[in-house]
């Protein structure tokens, strides 16, 4: 008996999208994330596997203070990670969720104002900026952002509210 794997592929045609690329170590990924968060006016959706970057966490809180609706979905490892920024953003009033449905919730994305996508291998961590070989794409495309938003919402449905680290 043969086993067949079926995979769902989403074909997306990007026409005339503005795309910027950054590489680490020390290639400006964190600065690009912060700069794009500083421009947010309405919404920021985040999915992160590892989240320890203080500048990125601060930029999310600053966006929240400006009235931007910020929501974060993190991998279950962030419940116990020693240096996770999960508590910082959750205590600042940002709706923070844990996606524990998967072996790892390995997405590293942000969708800003329904038109800007930040994605790539870049974890939102100091180590990713300073030590790792990572990449970050900043894509300006509302149609693609809608697809990322739909996927983000699907993960939100099976995620649970983050309650903070146990004392």
């Amino acid at each position: 008996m043969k086993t067949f794997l079926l995979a769902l592929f989403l074909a997306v045609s990007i026409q005339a999208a503005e795309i910027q690329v950054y590489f680490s170590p020390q290639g400006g990924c964190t600065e690009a994330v912060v700069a794009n968060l500083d421009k947010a006016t309405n919404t920021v959706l985040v999915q992160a596997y590892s989240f320890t970057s203080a500048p990125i966490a601060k930029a999310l809180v600053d966006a929240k203070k400006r009235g931007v609706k910020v929501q974060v979905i993190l991998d279950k490892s962030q419940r116990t990670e020693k240096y996770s920024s999960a508590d910082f953003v959750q205590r600042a009033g940002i709706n923070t969720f844990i996606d524990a449905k998967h072996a790892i919730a390995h997405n590293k994305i942000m969708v800003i104002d329904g038109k800007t996508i930040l994605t790539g291998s870049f974890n939102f961590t100091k180590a990713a900026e300073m030590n790792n070989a990572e990449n970050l794409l900043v894509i300006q495309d509302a149609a693609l952002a809608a697809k990322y938003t739909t996927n983000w919402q699907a993960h939100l449905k099976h995620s649970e509210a983050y309650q903070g680290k146990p004392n």
Side-chain angles (χ1 to χ4, degrees), residues 48-123:
Y49 171 68
S50 185
F51 181 34
T52 62
S53 172
I56 294 172
K58 182 182 179 312
L60 288 169
V61 171
D62 290 347
K64 164 89 170 138
K65 288 177 181 175
R66 290 193 313 273
V68 175
K69 183 178 180 183
V70 180
Q71 297 183 86
V72 176
I73 301 173
L74 302 172
D75 178 71
K76 64 183 173 253
S77 64
Q78 298 305 287
R79 286 182 180 140
T80 57
E81 184 73 29
K82 186 174 182 181
Y83 297 110
S84 175
S85 293
D87 286 310
F88 179 75
V89 296
Q90 188 254 356
R91 286 187 193 122
I94 292 174
N95 291 329
T96 306
F97 302 90
I98 299 295
D99 183 349
K101 181 177 181 178
H102 310 283
I104 58 173
H106 207 240
N107 285 314
K108 301 143 189 137
I109 66 113
M110 292 187 186
V111 180
I112 301 172
D113 293 337
K115 63 184 178 186
T116 303
I117 306 110
L118 283 66
T119 189
S121 67
F122 184 71
N123 281 301

Side-chain angles (χ1 to χ4, degrees), residues 103-155:
I104 58 173
H106 207 240
N107 285 314
K108 301 143 189 137
I109 66 113
M110 292 187 186
V111 180
I112 301 172
D113 293 337
K115 63 184 178 186
T116 303
I117 306 110
L118 283 66
T119 189
S121 67
F122 184 71
N123 281 301
F124 305 129
T125 66
K126 181 177 180 180
E129 178 64 42
M130 302 303 293
N131 304 316
N132 300 349
E134 309 261 3
N135 70 83
L136 174 73
L137 290 173
V138 179
I139 306 166
Q140 303 293 330
D141 186 275
L144 184 59
K147 293 181 185 309
Y148 271 89
T149 298
T150 298
N151 182 265
W152 187 94
Q153 291 167 339
H155 285 277

